[in-house]
Amino acid sequence: MAASGETQTVSEYIVHHLTNLTYGKLPGGFERYDGSVVADGGVWTMAHGGAEASAMGFMAIHIDSMLWSIGLGIVFCLLFRSVAKKAEAGVPSGFVTFAEMIVEFVDNTVKDTFHGKNPLVAPLALTIFVWVFLMNLMDLIPVDLIPHTLMLLGVEYQKIVPSTDPNITMGMALGIFILMLYYSIKVKGFGFVKELTMNPFNHPIFIPVNLFMEVVGFLAKPFSLGLRLFGNMYAGEMIFILIAALFGAGFLWMLPAGLMQMGWAIFHILVITLQAFIFMVLTIVYLSMAHEDH
């Protein structure tokens, strides 16, 4: 399992597959994996293991999550751009038909869920659904295929499923939260302040209580949005890793492990699609609530 040929324990194998390729600044005086000590002033470098990644703190960046998420976003744009160029008045065929089905499905979902008027919502919903689906779809690639190949090229850590990284899911949720806040203020104006202070108890004496409950509920939306996607995908990835670890348990375990891997992959197709759909629908619902000015 190790690129160098050294045998890993199951726990080391799991930890390795759950470690991001991290770049950041190690503080001065930190003792690295090879016994060397970082000089005063720190050093910007790639982390070797979870301890170094933790020492880098908030300013560290997960290179693998960023590259895979941005790359999949570019794939989405290129695919749908090609569909738009091929679209014509006649009967569509091939991938054009499939893409039109997705667009129609998302458009109908927006019409049924969103009760305001905003041309941004439908394209945003389509982008979220396809982008999250593509990120989740990476979970179906064998867990050792890309990481092991990159290890042979000198890249020690590689997580290829961006949605198993809370930084990615919470970053997306933060973007939705900013839109919620923006449209709540734009559409409701002072009514947004009244909504926060006079609900659910419509009396001035309850303003502190109302404000506390409404603010907590408002802030809980992006957290639930991001953590729900992360939790489900992280759990699915963990199961794939555990099943993959069985292949190293001996020849007798190879057939059961292969059957379990195939069974979980088939079931996981539903999971990755459902999680993309839920993230999209909740986004539409939250934006719809931000546009309700009555």
Side-chain angles (χ1 to χ4, degrees), residues 40-85:
D40 293 340
V43 60
W44 289 89
T45 183
M46 290 288 184
H48 188 283
E52 292 191 3
S54 298
M56 290 176 175
F58 179 76
M59 297 306 294
I61 182 172
H62 291 169
I63 302 295
D64 44 8
S65 294
M66 291 297 296
L67 291 180
W68 284 107
S69 59
I70 294 173
L72 291 170
I74 294 174
V75 169
F76 158 68
C77 293
L78 293 177
L79 286 176
F80 276 74
R81 181 178 181 273
S82 66
V83 168
K85 292 175 66 176

Side-chain angles (χ1 to χ4, degrees), residues 64-80 126-139 141 146 159-164 168 172:
D64 44 8
S65 294
M66 291 297 296
L67 291 180
W68 284 107
S69 59
I70 294 173
L72 291 170
I74 294 174
V75 169
F76 158 68
C77 293
L78 293 177
L79 286 176
F80 276 74
L126 176 65
T127 301
I128 287 175
F129 179 72
V130 179
W131 194 18
V132 173
F133 176 79
L134 290 176
M135 289 193 287
N136 294 350
L137 190 64
M138 298 297 292
D139 215 2
I141 298 177
I146 295 179
K159 284 183 67 176
I160 65 172
V161 188
S163 50
T164 61
I168 297 296
M172 296 174 63

Side-chain angles (χ1 to χ4, degrees), residues 34 212 226 258 288 290:
D34 56 1
F212 174 76
S288 179

Side-chain angles (χ1 to χ4, degrees), residues 84-161:
K85 292 175 66 176
K86 295 177 182 177
E88 53 188 22
V91 179
S93 60
F95 183 72
V96 176
T97 303
F98 179 68
E100 288 187 355
M101 290 174 57
I102 296 176
V103 171
E104 184 178 359
F105 167 73
V106 173
D107 188 54
N108 291 333
T109 304
V110 172
K111 290 179 180 178
D112 294 338
T113 310
F114 185 74
H115 306 299
K117 292 183 179 180
N118 191 332
L120 173 69
V121 175
L124 176 65
L126 176 65
T127 301
I128 287 175
F129 179 72
V130 179
W131 194 18
V132 173
F133 176 79
L134 290 176
M135 289 193 287
N136 294 350
L137 190 64
M138 298 297 292
D139 215 2
L140 298 183
I141 298 177
V143 295
D144 281 326
L145 180 60
I146 295 179
H148 182 71
T149 302
L150 291 178
M151 284 180 69
L152 298 176
L153 300 176
V155 181
E156 186 170 1
Y157 300 100
Q158 190 70 202
K159 284 183 67 176
I160 65 172
V161 188

Side-chain angles (χ1 to χ4, degrees), residues 128-129 225 228 232 271 273-284:
I128 287 175
F129 179 72
L225 189 64
R228 179 186 289 105
N232 282 278
V271 174
T273 307
L274 184 61
Q275 290 305 314
F277 175 74
I278 291 175
F279 199 99
M280 177 193 70
V281 169
L282 288 179
T283 298
I284 299 171

